[in-house]
């Protein structure tokens, strides 16, 4: 059985309550960190663990923490990014719903490491149930003395707040999140300055994903070297993968990084294969924004090596024949799936969620959506396909924040790997349209019964 | 060792003090500097949004000779010692700029023939230089419900490119900002939320900072094409602002008053609404002389005559003697 770090106690009944959580070894990391370790030692442990940001970019967490401007006399903040809204990604929500105290424990230890006395958990506004659970868990932690003034007699103070967002995807971008937290319009900021120097209210700030912070207690308890021994190469530790699409067992799985993709899809311990005995067609391995890969490239790299679930292996081949681990939103398409319709759906999402601050993303996402809508609904032209590639190219890397890239990558990759399907839509619009109206897909607008 | 940083832009070098942006350095160098639709030097925090000023940094600094991985917005990127920047010489930059101009134009109504801004419009100039001759955009253009923002300023939201300049101007020049950007993405719009008019002593400046025809002068609407009017520098004693303005004349009549702009199209001294909207008589002003207009502009020179000097008009002695 693979090592479980985050979901170890998932099956324990009543793990949401602080007493059960403590009876199963919870909050040991808080007392160990506050009583036995200095903040710098903690940062060193996290550096040694090789833990990488689980929100999508995969930036080494220890390095991010060491960038924090500790010389300034301004207060420091830790902000947990729980604005999980990427289509296909639902791991943070799962973790917070099942084991809320794991995140609280991580927040306390990480805040201590960074010297933050006020910390925030910014939760996506739609997840009201999670917000209530976290607030109850925080109240319990205050009652036990894990939060507030002079925690466990160590002299360290921490106030922890839950802040509901307004439900905007863009507020998952770290600087937009800070703007939103400050009560402003959620527009990403120009960088530099980076949040580590000037973040929340102009003070040094670290923003980490839920899963990243939830991994910290285990590292405190077992040491960074133990964490680094799990996984493969620079992809250390475990990762939550939210598997969805046409598979037999959708859900959230904790895997050791380095697991072969083939095993993840077909093993009964994970996805259990494709539903109804169908054939695999394509996979989006890291949430809707990463490039889609066809069957032959997701199971094996272009060089013929088996593709593994790790930051490096999934990125092997760059964007020509590779993709990204991203946030771990593993979306599987079977042979029936229409790549064009799926791409239109993704693009519609990015069009809707663009903040409208910088021109390429504001105008380009809408343009791509309209062209794809046309192709999907039988009014496409051959020139539209190259137009889409060109528009995507003009968005990618030209925007303030990564949303522009996230909108452009799926378009570029879908056309690169499935150009024939786009051409089929242009050449035979009727048959493609008929397939969707009477086949696999639900109607966007329900048709009334006569 | 001097504190000046040496930066090379398109092969030409200049030394600038620390904290200077690439855009500022390029403007000091002269020649072709990157265009700007959202960056406005007199207003703080502007820039970074329109992306037309993207440039390629071929060498980050002397200490770090690697290029920057992406094109950067020159208006917000500070120079480092030994930085090498490619602006007009990089095909990648020109291609990106082409793309951004195309994006700015796909939802722009292109109603230049009936737009008061035509002739002094940054977007017109930009698309003249970097735009395509034909559009590849076949979809519907976005439209907005019209809102009235008061007696002085006309808002045409369809023409807006969301540069946020007017938002920063209202923040920094007026006591209280009553307008802002509402909604999200490509349906975001400039609005006052509860449809109140924008009224305060400096609100007229949002007209001058607007790079396109989204905010125009209601008192000047459809009076005259800008290249037929004649601009004169003039001043008056004003207790609210500097009183230094440009008068736009049609014959002897003042049809518009604006603030003075420098060669980069940026206002040098903001003026109050009193000067801008309420003083349209020649007798209100001391005329200094014809305004220098940059040669590239369609508002060209060589069409000046002395205004008819009547006792009511105070013309500076210097100007008359010339």
């Amino acid at each position: 059985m693979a090592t479980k770090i985050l979901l170890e106690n998932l099956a324990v009944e009543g793990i949401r309550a602080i007493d059960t959580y403590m009876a199963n070894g919870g909050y040991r990391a808080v007392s160990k960190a506050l009583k036995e370790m200095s903040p710098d030692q903690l940062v060193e442990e996290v550096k040694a663990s090789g833990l990488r940001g689980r929100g999508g970019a995969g930036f080494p967490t220890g390095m991010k923490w060491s960038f924090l401007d500790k010389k300034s006399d301004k207060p420091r903040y830790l902000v947990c990014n729980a604005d999980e809204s990427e289509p296909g990604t639902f791991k943070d929500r799962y973790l917070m719903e099942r084991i809320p105290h794991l995140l609280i424990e991580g927040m306390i230890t990480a805040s201590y490491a960074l010297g933050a006395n006020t910390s925030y958990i910014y939760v996506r506004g739609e997840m009201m149930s999670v917000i209530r659970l976290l607030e109850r868990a925080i109240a319990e932690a205050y009652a036990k003395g894990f939060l507030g003034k002079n925690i466990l007699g160590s002299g360290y103070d921490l106030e922890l707040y839950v802040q509901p967002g307004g439900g905007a995807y863009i507020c998952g971008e770290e600087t937009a999140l800070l703007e939103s937290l400050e009560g402003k319009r959620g527009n990403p900021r120009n960088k530099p300055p980076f949040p580590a120097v000037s973040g929340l209210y102009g003070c040094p700030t670290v923003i980490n994903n839920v899963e990243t912070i939830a991994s910290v207690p285990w590292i405190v308890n077992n040491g960074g070297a133990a964490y680094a021994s799990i996984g493969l190469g620079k992809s250390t530790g475990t990762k939550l993968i939210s598997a969805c699409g046409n598979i037999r067992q959708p859900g959230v799985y904790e895997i050791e990084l380095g697991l072969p993709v083939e095993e993840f899809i077909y093993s009964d311990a994970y996805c259990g294969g494709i539903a109804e005995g169908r054939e695999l067609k394509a996979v989006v391995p890291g949430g809707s924004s990463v490039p889609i890969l066809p069957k032959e490239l997701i199971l094996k790299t272009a060089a013929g090596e088996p593709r593994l679930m790790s930051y490096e292996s999934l990125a092997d081949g760059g964007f020509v024949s590779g993709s990204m681990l991203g946030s771990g939103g593993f979306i599987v398409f079977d042979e029936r799936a229409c790549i064009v319709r799926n791409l239109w759906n993704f693009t519609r999402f990015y069009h809707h969620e663009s903040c409208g601050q910088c021109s390429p993303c504001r105008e380009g996402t809408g343009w791509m959506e309209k062209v794809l809508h046309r192709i999907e609904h039988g009014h496409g032209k051959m020139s539209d396909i190259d137009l889409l590639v060109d528009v995507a190219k003009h968005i990618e890397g030209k925007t303030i924040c990564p949303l522009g890239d996230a909108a452009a990558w799926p378009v570029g990759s879908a056309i690169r790997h499935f150009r024939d399907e786009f051409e089929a839509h242009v050449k035979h619009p009727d048959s493609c349209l008929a397939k969707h109206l009477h086949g696999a897909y639900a109607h966007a607008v329900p048709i009334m019964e006569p | 060792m001097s504190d000046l940083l040496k930066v090379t832009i398109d092969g030409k070098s200049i030394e600038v003090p620390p904290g200077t942006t690439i855009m500022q350095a390029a403007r000091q160098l002269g020649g072709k500097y990157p265009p700007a639709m959202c960056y406005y030097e007199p207003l703080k925090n502007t820039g970074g949004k329109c992306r037309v000023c993207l440039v390629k940094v071929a060498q980050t600094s002397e200490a770090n000779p690697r290029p920057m991985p992406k094109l950067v917005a020159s208006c917000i990127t500070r120079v480092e010692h030994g930085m090498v920047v490619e602006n007009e010489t990089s095909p990648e930059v020109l291609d990106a700029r082409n793309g951004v101009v195309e994006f700015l134009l796909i939802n722009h109504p292109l109603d230049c023939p009936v737009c008061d801004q035509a002739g002094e419009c940054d977007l017109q100039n930009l698309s003249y230089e970097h735009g395509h001759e034909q559009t590849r955009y076949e979809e519907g253009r976005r439209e907005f419900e019209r809102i009235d923002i008061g007696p002085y300023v006309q808002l045409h939201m369809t023409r807006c490119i969301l540069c946020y300049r007017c938002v920063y101007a209202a923040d920094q020049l007026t006591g209280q900002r009553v307008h802002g950007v509402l909604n999200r993405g490509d349906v975001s719009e400039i609005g006052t939320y509860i449809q109140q008019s924008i009224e305060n002593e400096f609100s007229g400046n949002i007209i001058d900072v607007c790079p396109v025809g989204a905010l125009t002068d209601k008192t000047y609407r459809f009076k005259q094409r800008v290249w037929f009017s004649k601009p004169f520098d003039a001043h008056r004693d004003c207790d609210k602002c500097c009183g230094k303005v440009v008068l736009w004349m049609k014959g002897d009549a003042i049809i518009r008053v604006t603030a003075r702009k420098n060669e980069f199209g940026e206002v040098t001294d903001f003026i109050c609404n009193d000067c801008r909207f309420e003083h349209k008589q020649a007798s209100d002003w001391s005329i200094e002389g014809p305004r220098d207009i940059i040669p590239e502009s369609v508002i060209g020179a060589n069409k000046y005559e002395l205004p008819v000097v009547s006792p009511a008009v105070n013309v500076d002695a210097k100007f008359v003697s010339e």
Side-chain angles (χ1 to χ4, degrees), chain A residues 168 185 187 190 351-355 357-360 362-363 367 370 374 381 390 394 398-400, chain B residues 47-51 76 95-96 102-104 107 136-139 142 161-162 164 181 183-186:
Chain A
R185 183 185 162 83
N187 278 357
N190 285 313
H351 175 207
H352 184 256
E353 296 296 341
S354 167
C355 78
Q357 191 183 199
C358 61
S359 341
R362 176 183 69 232
E363 309 292 351
W367 191 1
K370 286 170 188 163
R374 219 152 30 83
K381 293 180 293 190
D390 198 53
H394 278 132
K398 314 283 190 295
T399 53
I400 296 175
Chain B
K49 299 186 197 308
C50 69
R51 318 306 283 183
I76 49 165
D95 179 54
E102 186 176 27
F103 287 136
L104 287 175
N107 276 308
R136 298 188 288 172
Y137 186 73
E138 298 171 11
E139 275 57 48
R142 108 181 130 230
I161 57 157
L162 287 163
Y164 284 64
V181 176
N183 300 328
R184 185 171 73 195
D186 63 359

Side-chain angles (χ1 to χ4, degrees), chain A residues 39-40 43 65 67-73 76 113-115 204:
Chain A
D40 288 341
V43 175
W65 287 11
F67 287 156
L68 189 73
D69 183 5
K70 291 200 168 176
K71 281 185 224 112
S72 102
D73 48 3
R76 299 190 281 270
L114 298 166

Side-chain angles (χ1 to χ4, degrees), chain A residues 149-160:
Chain A
K149 298 260 175 239
N150 194 12
I151 298 167
L152 304 178
S154 65
Y156 174 65
D157 307 334
L158 177 66
E159 302 292 330
L160 182 58

Side-chain angles (χ1 to χ4, degrees), chain B residues 125-314:
Chain B
N125 297 344
L126 186 68
S127 36
Y128 186 72
E129 199 160 344
H130 295 284
H132 296 285
E133 280 176 13
Q134 276 187 320
T135 180
R136 298 188 288 172
Y137 186 73
E138 298 171 11
E139 275 57 48
R141 285 170 199 258
R142 108 181 130 230
E143 287 167 16
F144 294 91
E145 270 182 36
R146 283 193 147 186
I147 60 167
D148 186 5
I149 57 167
Y152 291 138
V153 185
Q154 178 72 38
L155 172 66
H156 282 283
M157 193 51 222
T158 46
R159 296 173 187 160
C160 179
I161 57 157
L162 287 163
C163 68
Y164 284 64
R165 275 184 193 175
C166 62
V167 178
Y168 288 110
D171 253 346
Q172 293 167 26
L173 301 176
T174 68
Q176 198 185 7
R177 173 161 67 88
V178 293
H179 79 289
V181 176
L182 313 176
N183 300 328
R184 185 171 73 195
D186 63 359
V187 291
S188 33
E189 59 177 307
I190 299 289
T192 50
Y193 192 54
I194 38 178
Q195 300 235 340
Q196 55 192 357
S197 59
I198 296 176
E199 277 171 12
N200 59 62
E201 285 173 353
F202 285 87
S203 65
N205 288 303
I206 62 176
I207 299 167
D208 280 346
V209 301
C210 183
V212 293
L215 296 165
T216 48
D217 188 336
K218 244 183 197 174
T219 62
Y220 173 67
R221 270 195 105 192
F222 306 139
K223 286 255 175 80
Q224 173 103 293
R225 301 267 44 163
V226 64
W227 54 88
F228 292 133
S229 33
K230 295 169 187 172
F232 290 91
D233 282 345
H235 65 265
R236 66 181 274 270
D237 285 331
C238 178
D239 51 359
K240 292 177 190 143
C241 67
C242 62
K244 291 178 190 161
V245 301
V246 180
L247 303 178
W248 299 77
M249 316 270 289
K250 179 184 189 180
D252 293 340
I254 298 173
I255 50 173
R256 183 170 74 151
V257 181
T258 66
R260 294 181 188 176
K261 292 184 176 183
N262 62 14
E263 58 187 306
F264 309 115
E266 290 170 348
V267 171
T268 47
D269 292 298
F270 291 102
I271 60 169
C272 65
N273 282 8
D274 217 23
C275 291
R276 186 187 299 271
F277 298 117
E278 304 299 343
H279 291 84
K280 298 279 177 80
Q281 298 300 320
S283 55
D284 295 334
W285 299 96
S286 303
I287 295 175
E288 295 163 18
R291 172 122 191 105
D292 278 337
I293 299 288
I294 53 164
E296 292 83 28
S297 170
V298 295
I299 317 165
N302 303 328
K303 58 183 186 191
Y304 288 100
E305 296 162 21
L306 287 176
V308 179
V309 183
S310 68
V313 182
N314 306 316

